[in-house]
Amino acid sequence: MREVKVSIFGFGTVGRALVEIISERPRVAGVEIRVESITDRSGTVWGDFDPLEAKEVKENIGRISALGDYDVYSFKPQELVEEIKPDILVDVSSWDGAFSMYEVALREGVSVVTSNKPPIAEHYDKLKELAEESKAGIYFESTVMAGTPIIGLLRENLLGENIEEILAVLNASTTFILTRMESGKSFDEAFKEAKSLGILEEDPSKDIDGIDAFYKAKILHWVAYGEPPEKTERVGIREVKDAKNVRLVARVSKGEINVKPRKLKENSPLLVSGVYNAAIIRMNNLGELVLKGKGGGGRVTASGVFTDIVKAALKFPSPR
Ligand code: NDP
Ligand code: HSE
């Protein structure tokens, strides 16, 4: 069995769920996944430590540097890659600037798996180029719809289709708030409740103002068309007064993305609730494909990250 070393960058909801999943199933598809290091804002634990103990310490004390008996390093993100040299860098952080770390990783031949949206939305062309040059891979299933596999569909399974349009509800926090408003709560009350769900972004205005859904729509545009959109529009949910059957809907077509609240028909597949996301993909040969699944939460997101780690370990090609 081949051992694959992973460095986990970020130890919040998703990072900790990932450690749980790896501990439950470290050997899969002929590879053995070993957590070589874990990083949060307090530092990096590296070497022969128990990832579940690290999780417990993080949950109880709030910082990984409190893990006793182990060396804690204060690497800059780029140094982390160069010093540790993992096989796979797993970014489950909320650091918008992580692109610079991916650049170093890919140049070093280290594959990158990420659930962090801005680096992919903003720099996918450069990352893909670096991955091709270094023969490392860049995997980002959980950036859109969490573990529900829309990226794999577009990037691999539907490569032969002409994607005419994607309509999708991609942000679970706004769905939750809108459905609470439908049942009579004010925006402020619904927003407070959403905080207990564990799916709001670290900066929740990214959810409310449609920035999170916008990043996701941009990532879908990259994988559907291999280029960034020329025309964009983004409207959040702050101005919604009558929330009945309203969801924050992203529309993606060649050259164009928009994200805005839309009133949906009673029977629309996009009229989801809870943490569900949904997407309607319209294509030239296949017609309409509807994908619905959970779009957030620790294990749901870590599931997509885990599968990407396995793909990276097996060196799955990353076609588009
Ligand atoms: P959290 O806010 O729970 O955790 C973020 C983690 O990133 C924290 O551990 C934080 O450290 C760490 N971090 C942030 N900046 C840095 C930095 N500069 N250096 C080191 N560590 C840093 O987020 P989630 O776990 O919920 O989400 C992780 C990522 O996955 C985010 O990008 C999010 O958008 C994305 N995602 C999340 C989903 C979800 O349902 N939660 C679904 C799909 C994607 P510290 O703990 O020390 O503050
Ligand atoms: N904040 C995001 C949401 C998490 O509410 O959908 C999943 O990407």
Short mmCIF file of all heavy atoms in Angstrom, two decimals, residues 25-53:
data_model
loop_
_atom_site.label_atom_id
_atom_site.label_comp_id
_atom_site.label_asym_id
_atom_site.label_seq_id
_atom_site.Cartn_x
_atom_site.Cartn_y
_atom_site.Cartn_z
N ARG A 25 -11.20 6.04 7.71
CA ARG A 25 -10.90 5.25 6.51
C ARG A 25 -9.55 5.68 5.91
O ARG A 25 -9.51 6.27 4.82
CB ARG A 25 -12.04 5.51 5.50
CG ARG A 25 -12.15 4.41 4.50
CD ARG A 25 -13.39 4.54 3.65
NE ARG A 25 -13.33 3.59 2.58
CZ ARG A 25 -13.73 3.83 1.35
NH1 ARG A 25 -14.27 4.98 1.03
NH2 ARG A 25 -13.63 2.90 0.41
N PRO A 26 -8.47 5.39 6.61
CA PRO A 26 -7.17 5.86 6.11
C PRO A 26 -6.69 5.13 4.86
O PRO A 26 -5.90 5.67 4.09
CB PRO A 26 -6.22 5.60 7.29
CG PRO A 26 -6.88 4.53 8.09
CD PRO A 26 -8.35 4.66 7.89
N ARG A 27 -7.17 3.89 4.66
CA ARG A 27 -6.74 3.13 3.49
C ARG A 27 -7.88 3.02 2.50
O ARG A 27 -8.95 2.49 2.83
CB ARG A 27 -6.26 1.72 3.90
CG ARG A 27 -4.88 1.74 4.53
CD ARG A 27 -4.51 0.42 5.15
NE ARG A 27 -5.27 0.19 6.38
CZ ARG A 27 -4.94 0.69 7.57
NH1 ARG A 27 -3.85 1.42 7.71
NH2 ARG A 27 -5.68 0.48 8.63
N VAL A 28 -7.66 3.53 1.30
CA VAL A 28 -8.72 3.50 0.30
C VAL A 28 -8.09 3.44 -1.10
O VAL A 28 -7.08 4.10 -1.35
CB VAL A 28 -9.69 4.72 0.46
CG1 VAL A 28 -8.96 6.02 0.55
CG2 VAL A 28 -10.74 4.79 -0.62
N ALA A 29 -8.68 2.60 -1.93
CA ALA A 29 -8.25 2.46 -3.33
C ALA A 29 -6.73 2.27 -3.48
O ALA A 29 -6.09 2.84 -4.37
CB ALA A 29 -8.70 3.69 -4.13
N GLY A 30 -6.16 1.50 -2.58
CA GLY A 30 -4.73 1.15 -2.71
C GLY A 30 -3.77 2.20 -2.17
O GLY A 30 -2.56 2.07 -2.34
N VAL A 31 -4.29 3.26 -1.55
CA VAL A 31 -3.37 4.22 -0.94
C VAL A 31 -3.68 4.38 0.54
O VAL A 31 -4.82 4.20 0.98
CB VAL A 31 -3.42 5.62 -1.61
CG1 VAL A 31 -2.83 5.62 -3.00
CG2 VAL A 31 -4.83 6.19 -1.62
N GLU A 32 -2.62 4.72 1.29
CA GLU A 32 -2.80 4.97 2.71
C GLU A 32 -2.57 6.46 2.96
O GLU A 32 -1.49 7.00 2.66
CB GLU A 32 -1.80 4.13 3.52
CG GLU A 32 -1.88 4.45 4.98
CD GLU A 32 -1.39 3.31 5.87
OE1 GLU A 32 -0.85 2.32 5.35
OE2 GLU A 32 -1.56 3.45 7.10
N ILE A 33 -3.60 7.12 3.48
CA ILE A 33 -3.51 8.57 3.66
C ILE A 33 -2.99 8.87 5.05
O ILE A 33 -3.56 8.42 6.05
CB ILE A 33 -4.89 9.23 3.43
CG1 ILE A 33 -5.35 8.94 1.99
CG2 ILE A 33 -4.82 10.74 3.67
CD1 ILE A 33 -6.82 9.14 1.78
N ARG A 34 -1.91 9.66 5.11
CA ARG A 34 -1.31 10.00 6.40
C ARG A 34 -1.31 11.52 6.56
O ARG A 34 -0.85 12.25 5.68
CB ARG A 34 0.12 9.47 6.41
CG ARG A 34 0.85 9.75 7.68
CD ARG A 34 2.33 9.36 7.53
NE ARG A 34 3.14 10.35 8.22
CZ ARG A 34 3.34 10.34 9.54
NH1 ARG A 34 2.84 9.39 10.28
NH2 ARG A 34 4.06 11.29 10.11
N VAL A 35 -1.88 11.97 7.68
CA VAL A 35 -1.88 13.42 7.96
C VAL A 35 -0.50 13.79 8.49
O VAL A 35 -0.13 13.42 9.60
CB VAL A 35 -2.99 13.79 8.97
CG1 VAL A 35 -2.94 15.28 9.26
CG2 VAL A 35 -4.36 13.39 8.43
N GLU A 36 0.26 14.52 7.68
CA GLU A 36 1.64 14.86 8.03
C GLU A 36 1.71 16.14 8.86
O GLU A 36 2.54 16.26 9.74
CB GLU A 36 2.42 15.02 6.71
CG GLU A 36 3.88 15.33 6.84
CD GLU A 36 4.69 14.13 7.32
OE1 GLU A 36 4.16 13.00 7.37
OE2 GLU A 36 5.87 14.34 7.66
N SER A 37 0.81 17.08 8.55
CA SER A 37 0.81 18.33 9.32
C SER A 37 -0.58 18.95 9.30
O SER A 37 -1.38 18.68 8.40
CB SER A 37 1.82 19.33 8.74
OG SER A 37 1.36 19.83 7.50
N ILE A 38 -0.84 19.77 10.31
CA ILE A 38 -2.09 20.55 10.36
C ILE A 38 -1.73 21.98 10.77
O ILE A 38 -0.91 22.19 11.68
CB ILE A 38 -3.11 19.97 11.38
CG1 ILE A 38 -3.43 18.49 11.06
CG2 ILE A 38 -4.40 20.79 11.36
CD1 ILE A 38 -4.43 17.85 12.04
N THR A 39 -2.37 22.93 10.10
CA THR A 39 -2.08 24.34 10.36
C THR A 39 -3.35 25.11 10.68
O THR A 39 -4.38 24.90 10.02
CB THR A 39 -1.43 24.98 9.09
OG1 THR A 39 -0.26 24.26 8.75
CG2 THR A 39 -1.10 26.45 9.31
N ASP A 40 -3.28 25.97 11.69
CA ASP A 40 -4.31 27.00 11.85
C ASP A 40 -3.57 28.33 12.04
O ASP A 40 -2.35 28.40 11.82
CB ASP A 40 -5.31 26.67 12.98
CG ASP A 40 -4.69 26.75 14.37
OD1 ASP A 40 -3.49 27.11 14.49
OD2 ASP A 40 -5.39 26.44 15.35
N ARG A 41 -4.28 29.36 12.46
CA ARG A 41 -3.59 30.66 12.56
C ARG A 41 -2.55 30.67 13.68
O ARG A 41 -1.67 31.53 13.70
CB ARG A 41 -4.62 31.78 12.80
CG ARG A 41 -5.42 32.12 11.55
CD ARG A 41 -6.31 33.33 11.82
NE ARG A 41 -7.01 33.79 10.64
CZ ARG A 41 -8.30 33.56 10.39
NH1 ARG A 41 -9.03 32.85 11.24
NH2 ARG A 41 -8.86 34.03 9.29
N SER A 42 -2.61 29.70 14.60
CA SER A 42 -1.66 29.70 15.72
C SER A 42 -0.37 28.97 15.37
O SER A 42 0.61 29.04 16.10
CB SER A 42 -2.29 29.05 16.96
OG SER A 42 -2.35 27.64 16.83
N GLY A 43 -0.32 28.23 14.28
CA GLY A 43 0.90 27.53 13.90
C GLY A 43 0.63 26.21 13.19
O GLY A 43 -0.52 25.90 12.83
N THR A 44 1.73 25.45 13.01
CA THR A 44 1.65 24.16 12.31
C THR A 44 2.18 23.05 13.20
O THR A 44 3.30 23.15 13.73
CB THR A 44 2.52 24.22 11.02
OG1 THR A 44 1.98 25.20 10.15
CG2 THR A 44 2.56 22.87 10.30
N VAL A 45 1.40 21.99 13.35
CA VAL A 45 1.90 20.79 14.03
C VAL A 45 2.35 19.84 12.93
O VAL A 45 1.60 19.59 11.97
CB VAL A 45 0.78 20.11 14.85
CG1 VAL A 45 1.38 19.00 15.70
CG2 VAL A 45 0.11 21.10 15.74
N TRP A 46 3.54 19.32 13.05
CA TRP A 46 4.14 18.52 11.97
C TRP A 46 4.84 17.30 12.56
O TRP A 46 5.56 17.42 13.54
CB TRP A 46 5.13 19.41 11.21
CG TRP A 46 5.95 18.72 10.17
CD1 TRP A 46 5.66 17.61 9.46
CD2 TRP A 46 7.23 19.17 9.71
NE1 TRP A 46 6.66 17.32 8.58
CE2 TRP A 46 7.64 18.26 8.70
CE3 TRP A 46 8.07 20.24 10.04
CZ2 TRP A 46 8.85 18.38 8.02
CZ3 TRP A 46 9.29 20.36 9.35
CH2 TRP A 46 9.67 19.44 8.35
N GLY A 47 4.61 16.16 11.98
CA GLY A 47 5.35 14.96 12.39
C GLY A 47 4.46 13.86 12.91
O GLY A 47 3.38 13.62 12.40
N ASP A 48 4.95 13.22 13.96
CA ASP A 48 4.29 12.02 14.45
C ASP A 48 3.30 12.36 15.55
O ASP A 48 3.58 12.22 16.74
CB ASP A 48 5.39 11.07 14.98
CG ASP A 48 4.82 9.68 15.19
OD1 ASP A 48 3.74 9.38 14.63
OD2 ASP A 48 5.45 8.90 15.94
N PHE A 49 2.15 12.89 15.17
CA PHE A 49 1.13 13.26 16.16
C PHE A 49 -0.17 12.58 15.79
O PHE A 49 -0.33 12.06 14.68
CB PHE A 49 0.96 14.79 16.20
CG PHE A 49 0.38 15.36 14.93
CD1 PHE A 49 -0.97 15.63 14.83
CD2 PHE A 49 1.19 15.63 13.83
CE1 PHE A 49 -1.52 16.14 13.66
CE2 PHE A 49 0.66 16.14 12.65
CZ PHE A 49 -0.70 16.40 12.58
N ASP A 50 -1.11 12.57 16.75
CA ASP A 50 -2.41 11.93 16.50
C ASP A 50 -3.40 13.01 16.04
O ASP A 50 -3.78 13.89 16.84
CB ASP A 50 -2.87 11.26 17.80
CG ASP A 50 -4.28 10.65 17.66
OD1 ASP A 50 -4.86 10.76 16.56
OD2 ASP A 50 -4.78 10.10 18.66
N PRO A 51 -3.86 12.96 14.79
CA PRO A 51 -4.75 14.00 14.27
C PRO A 51 -6.05 14.13 15.08
O PRO A 51 -6.57 15.24 15.23
CB PRO A 51 -5.06 13.53 12.84
CG PRO A 51 -3.97 12.60 12.48
CD PRO A 51 -3.51 11.96 13.75
N LEU A 52 -6.53 13.01 15.65
CA LEU A 52 -7.77 13.10 16.44
C LEU A 52 -7.52 13.83 17.76
O LEU A 52 -8.38 14.55 18.25
CB LEU A 52 -8.34 11.71 16.71
CG LEU A 52 -9.00 11.04 15.50
CD1 LEU A 52 -9.52 9.65 15.88
CD2 LEU A 52 -10.16 11.88 14.94
N GLU A 53 -6.30 13.67 18.30
CA GLU A 53 -5.95 14.40 19.51
C GLU A 53 -5.86 15.90 19.18
O GLU A 53 -6.30 16.76 19.94
CB GLU A 53 -4.61 13.88 20.03
CG GLU A 53 -4.27 14.35 21.42
CD GLU A 53 -2.84 13.96 21.82
OE1 GLU A 53 -2.28 13.00 21.26
OE2 GLU A 53 -2.29 14.67 22.69
#
